[in-house]
Amino acid sequence: CMQEIDNCQRLSLGPNFVVFLGQKYGYRPLPTRVLDTEFHMIIEVLEEEDGNLLKTWYKLDTNSVPNLYVLQPVSSIYKNFTNKAQKQLMEEDQSAWWKTMGLLCTTIRKGAAKLMEMKKFTVEDNHRYNWSVTEQEVVRGILIAKDITEHTLAFIREIRNINVKLFTHSAKFIDINFAARKVDDEAQKMLSQLRDVKVREEFFLSFNGKKDL
């Protein structure tokens, strides 16, 4: 997706990035690569069991400069994850992975938050372990892009009176914490910062000719 944004910015003569921001912050992915220095810092502030979970799934890549810990392919541990010939085994491994991924997300974010509390991570460092795919794309397409008034558009929509309790339907339009069976307040806070502060301020500065100040 990031490469495609770069291609559009390089080749498109007209609009190259359009974002629709509603009330859903979107999918917050598990980091696939972590700087080795940050990985060791996270491990140090976690309980041993949590640290071992991360070390099981992240392996050091010394060929990368700087060195990185890289998330391993799911099928390297859950061998039947893509085994369509054994449907039941595949479904069992896929179910196990989704649970594991949830634990990995919770664990690595817990470590990042602790480091921020200890002032070893900045707010921005911690945010990198929590942000959504949507925000990463908006940063690339608008917040660090050039000539955004010439080449980008942002549409903002708010739906009022969403019946949040109809989770199957409401989850399409707003972030839901299914475990707590309520709106995901953390995701909504990050969405508000992106939609109502960062994007609006960027366009305001650009339209007022202050982008380069």
Side-chain angles (χ1 to χ4, degrees):
C1 292
M2 298 302 177
Q3 184 64 55
E4 216 35 53
I5 291 172
D6 291 344
N7 290 338
C8 289
Q9 290 172 336
R10 180 170 53 88
L11 299 172
S12 297
L13 297 178
N16 59 41
F17 188 87
V18 180
V19 62
F20 295 85
L21 290 172
Q23 287 145 278
K24 188 161 184 171
Y25 183 59
Y27 175 57
R28 297 160 62 192
L30 179 66
T32 55
R33 293 174 175 80
V34 180
L35 284 171
D36 65 335
T37 51
E38 292 190 358
F39 188 83
H40 289 298
M41 291 169 66
I42 290 171
I43 294 293
E44 288 176 2
V45 298
L46 292 174
E47 299 291 336
E48 183 178 357
E49 183 178 356
D50 288 339
N52 288 337
L53 175 66
L54 293 183
K55 286 188 284 188
T56 297
W57 282 95
Y58 286 88
K59 301 300 179 185
L60 181 62
D61 178 6
T62 55
N63 289 320
S64 176
V65 179
N67 290 348
L68 297 171
Y69 273 84
V70 180
L71 182 66
Q72 299 304 290
V74 178
S75 56
S76 67
I77 294 177
Y78 292 117
K79 304 296 183 182
N80 293 294
F81 185 74
T82 58
N83 184 5
K84 295 181 180 179
Q86 298 288 334
K87 187 176 180 180
Q88 182 176 346
L89 294 177
M90 182 179 71
E91 290 176 350
E92 289 174 357
D93 274 7
Q94 288 179 349
S95 177
W97 163 244
W98 287 113
K99 292 179 182 177
T100 300
M101 186 178 71
L103 287 173
L104 287 168
C105 286
T106 299
T107 301
I108 202 164
R109 289 170 186 164
K110 179 168 62 177
K114 284 187 176 181
L115 288 170
M116 184 178 67
E117 291 173 5
M118 298 165 65
K119 301 189 183 306
K120 294 183 178 180
F121 263 17
T122 65
V123 172
E124 291 75 18
D125 291 332
N126 178 62
H127 189 66
R128 285 189 285 103
Y129 287 86
N130 288 274
W131 62 350
S132 69
V133 171
T134 299
E135 178 164 3
Q136 293 176 45
E137 292 172 345
V138 171
V139 168
R140 189 74 151 246
I142 293 178
L143 300 185
I144 63 172
K146 298 179 180 179
D147 302 321
I148 65 170
T149 57
E150 300 287 335
H151 298 290
T152 67
L153 292 167
F155 294 90
I156 295 175
R157 178 187 68 180
E158 180 181 359
I159 301 175
R160 299 180 181 179
N161 301 320
I162 295 177
N163 188 342
V164 175
K165 293 182 180 179
L166 297 175
F167 296 116
T168 303
H169 300 291
S170 62
K172 298 175 182 177
F173 303 99
I174 195 167
D175 302 285
I176 299 294
N177 182 332
F178 285 98
R181 299 183 67 78
K182 67 182 186 67
V183 171
D184 188 334
D185 294 327
E186 183 179 50
Q188 287 291 288
K189 183 177 180 180
M190 287 188 285
L191 169 65
S192 180
Q193 183 68 16
L194 172 66
R195 181 193 61 203
D196 304 327
V197 179
K198 295 178 181 178
V199 170
R200 289 180 187 273
E201 285 183 353
E202 190 70 11
F203 276 103
F204 176 80
L205 291 174
S206 295
F207 275 113
N208 284 276
K210 301 177 183 178
K211 172 78 171 172
D212 298 322
L213 293 182

